[in-house]
Amino acid sequence: MLDIRYEIMLEDFSRRHDVKRPWFLLLKIISLFVITLAIVIVALYIINSNIIKELLEFIQPIKWYIIGGLIAIMIVALGKTQDKVIFNKNQIEKYEKVIEQYKSVSDDIFSNITLIFYPIITQYIVNGQIIKNEIPVYFWEDFHQLHFYEQPPLHINYHQPIHIIIPIESIQYFDYDKKDGNKTILVAKDIDNHVISLMFDHYFYSELYGLIPEKSLEVIEKNRLSNVRAFNHVKSKIALSSQIERLQTLLEKGEISQNEYQKQKDKLLEEAL
């Protein structure tokens, strides 16, 4: 699968640096010039045929200078076109080396991975500082860790791929970004206790939820609220039991009657419902 992606990227880069394109561009410019010149001549002839004769008589003494100028322009244009062809060819060769460099350090990492996703990290932030924007990555989960591995660059400035490894237990939460609901944010801490924030397009929320729903802020808040309610329920039960025990003590000491005891007990039970 990855080999196919390498081929697609090479094809895309080669298409954008097509060695034939400069020649097509030169041919297009020459064609437009010739067509425009022909249209002007025909238009002048229709308006007044004598204009063409007068124009030919005017350029007769300098025709060789004009021809020489056109030849010089063509020689320069051909030279520039050939330079562009060579440049594009060199760019493609350099990019092929970039891909080979990338594969040499990355293939071992991918050798045992079966399921890979292809999100884009729109922002990579460490301790509030933006490290990099717009990082296309390979994403997978392995041994309770999330991996974000930078895809091959679309340019020839090769650098070691960014590899972000986040243990699932270190993830604080993921959620739709409060500032931009079209983005998903994942917040975690690395082994050096640095706070890492990764921003994605909103669709990545569903991928994370399908993989680690317990780290969704929505689920975390629901669990927290459930725990608070359970704690308050237990707390109220303890308080109720304490109040009934107090009434029982007063009854045993004869400070209240059996009727008063039962009346206040029923009232406490009713309020607890």
Side-chain angles (χ1 to χ4, degrees):
M1 182 66 179
L2 289 175
D3 286 337
I4 294 175
R5 287 184 66 85
Y6 295 148
E7 292 175 8
I8 292 173
M9 296 183 80
L10 276 170
E11 289 175 3
D12 182 61
F13 189 89
S14 298
R15 183 169 57 253
R16 289 185 289 112
H17 295 81
D18 187 358
V19 294
K20 297 177 182 178
R21 185 173 296 170
W23 291 114
F24 288 137
L25 180 59
L26 178 62
L27 181 61
K28 183 179 179 180
I29 292 172
I30 293 173
S31 299
L32 286 173
F33 174 77
V34 171
I35 292 171
T36 302
L37 182 62
I39 291 172
V40 170
I41 291 173
V42 170
L44 290 174
Y45 184 81
I46 293 173
I47 294 170
N48 188 345
S49 60
N50 290 328
I51 294 177
I52 302 300
K53 294 178 182 179
E54 292 173 0
L55 185 61
L56 290 173
E57 289 176 359
F58 174 77
I59 66 174
Q60 183 65 26
I62 58 172
K63 65 178 180 179
W64 293 113
Y65 292 103
I66 296 174
I67 293 171
L70 291 174
I71 291 173
I73 291 172
M74 283 300 301
I75 291 173
V76 171
L78 289 170
K80 292 289 184 181
T81 301
Q82 184 60 26
D83 288 344
K84 184 64 177 176
V85 168
I86 294 171
F87 174 80
N88 284 355
K89 184 179 179 181
N90 289 338
Q91 290 290 98
I92 293 172
E93 291 175 354
K94 288 179 181 178
Y95 191 67
E96 288 175 346
K97 291 180 181 178
V98 165
I99 294 297
E100 289 303 318
Q101 285 179 294
Y102 181 90
K103 291 177 67 175
S104 68
V105 300
S106 305
D107 277 0
D108 286 344
I109 296 175
F110 296 130
S111 59
N112 296 318
I113 300 171
T114 55
L115 184 61
I116 293 181
F117 301 93
Y118 308 96
I120 295 177
I121 297 176
T122 56
Q123 281 190 334
Y124 173 30
I125 304 170
V126 178
N127 287 342
Q129 181 180 357
I130 298 176
I131 303 300
K132 196 172 181 183
N133 294 316
E134 300 299 324
I135 316 172
V137 293
Y138 298 115
F139 165 68
W140 69 94
E141 187 269 336
D142 189 26
F143 297 110
H144 303 288
Q145 293 180 324
L146 301 186
H147 292 256
F148 300 92
Y149 193 87
E150 187 174 13
Q151 293 187 28
L154 290 172
H155 49 74
I156 61 174
N157 298 321
Y158 177 77
H159 62 268
Q160 197 79 0
I162 294 173
H163 190 182
I164 305 169
I165 303 174
I166 301 178
I168 290 177
E169 64 269 17
S170 74
I171 296 174
Q172 295 181 347
Y173 68 89
F174 67 88
D175 191 25
Y176 290 111
D177 183 36
K178 295 297 184 292
K179 295 180 181 178
D180 186 350
N182 292 322
K183 294 186 181 298
T184 298
I185 182 171
L186 183 148
V187 178
K189 284 192 175 182
D190 65 10
I191 56 176
D192 297 318
N193 211 35
H194 295 150
V195 178
I196 297 175
S197 300
L198 300 178
M199 303 289 292
F200 305 89
D201 286 334
H202 67 95
Y203 80 89
F204 195 59
Y205 183 93
S206 59
E207 300 290 355
L208 291 172
Y209 194 88
L211 189 64
I212 47 173
E214 71 279 7
K215 294 296 183 177
S216 163
L217 187 60
E218 177 186 6
V219 173
I220 291 172
E221 288 295 326
K222 283 182 179 179
N223 290 339
R224 185 189 66 80
L225 184 59
S226 176
N227 291 336
V228 168
R229 286 173 176 169
F231 174 77
N232 289 337
H233 181 68
V234 171
K235 185 178 178 182
S236 65
K237 288 291 185 182
I238 292 173
L240 175 63
S241 176
S242 176
Q243 289 173 310
I244 291 175
E245 285 180 4
R246 179 175 172 275
L247 288 174
Q248 183 70 36
T249 301
L250 293 174
L251 176 64
E252 291 173 354
K253 289 181 177 181
E255 295 182 11
I256 60 174
S257 65
Q258 179 67 38
N259 185 47
E260 184 65 22
Y261 166 78
Q262 191 63 45
K263 184 178 179 181
Q264 292 192 36
K265 179 181 178 182
D266 291 343
K267 183 180 179 181
L268 287 173
L269 291 172
E270 184 179 349
E271 289 175 352
L273 293 177

